[in-house]
Amino acid sequence: MKILLLEDNKTLNETIKLKLERSGYKVYSYINGQEALNNITHGFSCFIVDINVPNVDGIKILKKVREYYEEVPIIIISATVELNIIKECYDFGCNDYLKKPFFIEELE
């Protein structure tokens, strides 16, 4: 499975990437929203996206991903706990929303 990971916290990004790769996934990780956006059409099977990232926020990326992929799972990982933002993510097609902090096993 090919996964796009967008997380601007370098330590968390590396931790998630390492854990998923050890489980057999191919992970392409980004810390910048624009870089992730530039690569969303490269045949990913899953997207793991933080909301508050540099340049292009995760909600804009979520919307753009849904233009290209109707059924590919999108998991939002965010420290944002505002109900209206969580609802907006689901309205735009996210499949799950994990609030930080979370267990890496929960994400997997």
Side-chain angles (χ1 to χ4, degrees):
M1 177 183 278
K2 187 175 171 183
I3 298 173
L4 182 145
L5 168 63
L6 172 60
E7 169 57 60
D8 64 328
N9 178 301
K10 290 180 183 180
T11 302
L12 182 55
N13 186 308
E14 291 169 6
T15 301
I16 292 171
K17 184 177 194 290
L18 182 62
K19 174 66 174 165
L20 293 176
E21 286 179 340
R22 284 185 178 164
S23 296
Y25 299 104
K26 180 77 173 163
V27 180
Y28 295 79
S29 65
Y30 303 93
I31 59 171
N32 176 305
Q34 186 62 54
E35 291 174 353
L37 184 62
N38 292 344
N39 290 285
I40 64 171
T41 60
H42 294 144
F44 291 99
S45 303
C46 182
F47 292 84
I48 301 170
V49 179
D50 187 6
I51 292 177
N52 297 314
V53 294
N55 298 320
V56 178
D57 71 62
I59 293 176
K60 288 179 183 164
I61 291 172
L62 168 62
K63 292 177 188 177
K64 199 63 159 174
V65 167
R66 281 297 175 234
E67 289 178 20
Y68 291 98
Y69 307 96
E70 291 181 20
E71 300 297 323
V72 172
I74 302 171
I75 301 168
I76 300 295
I77 54 175
S78 181
T80 301
V81 294
E82 296 175 41
L83 186 56
N84 61 325
I85 291 175
I86 296 169
K87 183 180 180 325
E88 185 177 31
C89 289
Y90 280 107
D91 289 344
F92 290 126
C94 86
N95 297 86
D96 203 355
Y97 189 105
L98 294 178
K99 296 175 190 167
K100 295 178 187 174
F102 56 85
F103 294 105
I104 298 298
E105 290 79 12
E106 182 181 7
L107 173 62
E108 188 179 15

